[in-house]
Amino acid sequence: MTAKALPKVGGLSPLMERRAKELLMADMGGTLRLTDLAAACGLSASPFSRAFRRSVGMPPHRWLVQQRVERAKGLLRDSPT
Protein backbone atom coordinates (compact mmCIF):
# COMPACT_ATOMS: atom_id res chain seq x y z
CA MET A 1 0.00 0.00 0.00
CA THR A 2 1.42 3.39 -0.92
CA ALA A 3 1.47 6.35 1.43
CA LYS A 4 -1.16 8.04 -0.74
CA ALA A 5 -3.61 5.15 -0.22
CA LEU A 6 -3.34 5.22 3.56
CA PRO A 7 -6.09 7.07 5.44
CA LYS A 8 -5.19 10.12 7.47
CA VAL A 9 -4.75 9.25 11.13
CA GLY A 10 -8.23 9.14 12.57
CA GLY A 11 -9.81 9.61 9.15
CA LEU A 12 -11.81 7.37 6.87
CA SER A 13 -10.15 4.79 4.68
CA PRO A 14 -10.18 5.70 0.98
CA LEU A 15 -12.89 3.08 0.43
CA MET A 16 -15.11 4.45 3.22
CA GLU A 17 -14.60 8.04 2.03
CA ARG A 18 -15.55 7.08 -1.53
CA ARG A 19 -18.62 5.15 -0.29
CA ALA A 20 -19.78 8.07 1.88
CA LYS A 21 -19.37 10.57 -0.96
CA GLU A 22 -21.20 8.29 -3.39
CA LEU A 23 -24.13 7.94 -0.98
CA LEU A 24 -24.25 11.69 -0.37
CA MET A 25 -24.16 12.44 -4.10
CA ALA A 26 -26.90 9.90 -4.77
CA ASP A 27 -29.11 11.70 -2.23
CA MET A 28 -28.60 15.36 -3.08
CA GLY A 29 -31.97 16.13 -1.51
CA GLY A 30 -30.47 15.47 1.90
CA THR A 31 -32.89 12.79 3.11
CA LEU A 32 -30.07 10.39 4.05
CA ARG A 33 -29.56 10.36 7.81
CA LEU A 34 -26.09 10.62 9.30
CA THR A 35 -26.64 7.35 11.16
CA ASP A 36 -27.40 5.55 7.88
CA LEU A 37 -24.36 7.07 6.21
CA ALA A 38 -22.18 6.07 9.15
CA ALA A 39 -23.62 2.55 9.19
CA ALA A 40 -22.75 2.13 5.50
CA CYS A 41 -19.14 2.73 6.54
CA GLY A 42 -19.35 0.44 9.56
CA LEU A 43 -19.17 3.24 12.12
CA SER A 44 -21.51 4.96 14.52
CA ALA A 45 -22.54 8.56 13.81
CA SER A 46 -20.13 10.48 16.02
CA PRO A 47 -16.91 8.65 15.07
CA PHE A 48 -17.98 8.74 11.41
CA SER A 49 -18.55 12.48 11.52
CA ARG A 50 -15.13 13.10 13.11
CA ALA A 51 -13.39 10.78 10.64
CA PHE A 52 -15.17 12.37 7.65
CA ARG A 53 -14.15 15.83 8.82
CA ARG A 54 -10.55 14.72 9.27
CA SER A 55 -10.43 13.10 5.83
CA VAL A 56 -12.35 15.70 3.81
CA GLY A 57 -11.69 18.86 5.79
CA MET A 58 -15.34 19.62 6.55
CA PRO A 59 -18.38 17.90 8.08
CA PRO A 60 -20.60 15.74 5.85
CA HIS A 61 -23.43 18.28 5.68
CA ARG A 62 -21.14 21.12 4.65
CA TRP A 63 -19.56 18.88 1.99
CA LEU A 64 -23.03 18.05 0.65
CA VAL A 65 -24.03 21.72 0.55
CA GLN A 66 -20.83 22.51 -1.33
CA GLN A 67 -21.63 19.78 -3.87
CA ARG A 68 -25.14 21.19 -4.33
CA VAL A 69 -23.71 24.64 -4.99
CA GLU A 70 -21.23 23.25 -7.53
CA ARG A 71 -23.99 21.34 -9.28
CA ALA A 72 -26.18 24.46 -9.40
CA LYS A 73 -23.30 26.48 -10.84
CA GLY A 74 -22.83 23.85 -13.53
CA LEU A 75 -26.51 23.86 -14.41
CA LEU A 76 -26.54 27.65 -14.65
CA ARG A 77 -23.37 27.71 -16.72
CA ASP A 78 -24.58 25.01 -19.12
CA SER A 79 -28.16 26.21 -19.53
CA PRO A 80 -29.11 27.89 -22.79
CA THR A 81 -29.67 31.61 -22.46
Side-chain angles (χ1 to χ4, degrees), residues 3 11 13 26-27 31 46 51 53 55 59 63-64 67 70-71 79 81:
S13 71
D27 182 43
T31 59
S46 190
R53 180 189 299 247
S55 294
W63 185 86
L64 178 60
Q67 299 311 303
E70 291 304 316
R71 180 174 282 180
S79 68
T81 52

Side-chain angles (χ1 to χ4, degrees), residues 21 24-25 52 56 58-67:
K21 287 178 176 179
L24 286 166
M25 291 298 288
F52 189 95
V56 179
M58 63 186 75
H61 182 259
R62 186 181 304 164
W63 185 86
L64 178 60
V65 169
Q66 185 177 27
Q67 299 311 303

Side-chain angles (χ1 to χ4, degrees), residues 1 23-24 37-38 43 46 49 52 54 68 80:
M1 199 181 263
L23 289 170
L24 286 166
L37 187 57
L43 299 170
S46 190
S49 188
F52 189 95
R54 180 152 301 183
R68 288 177 184 159

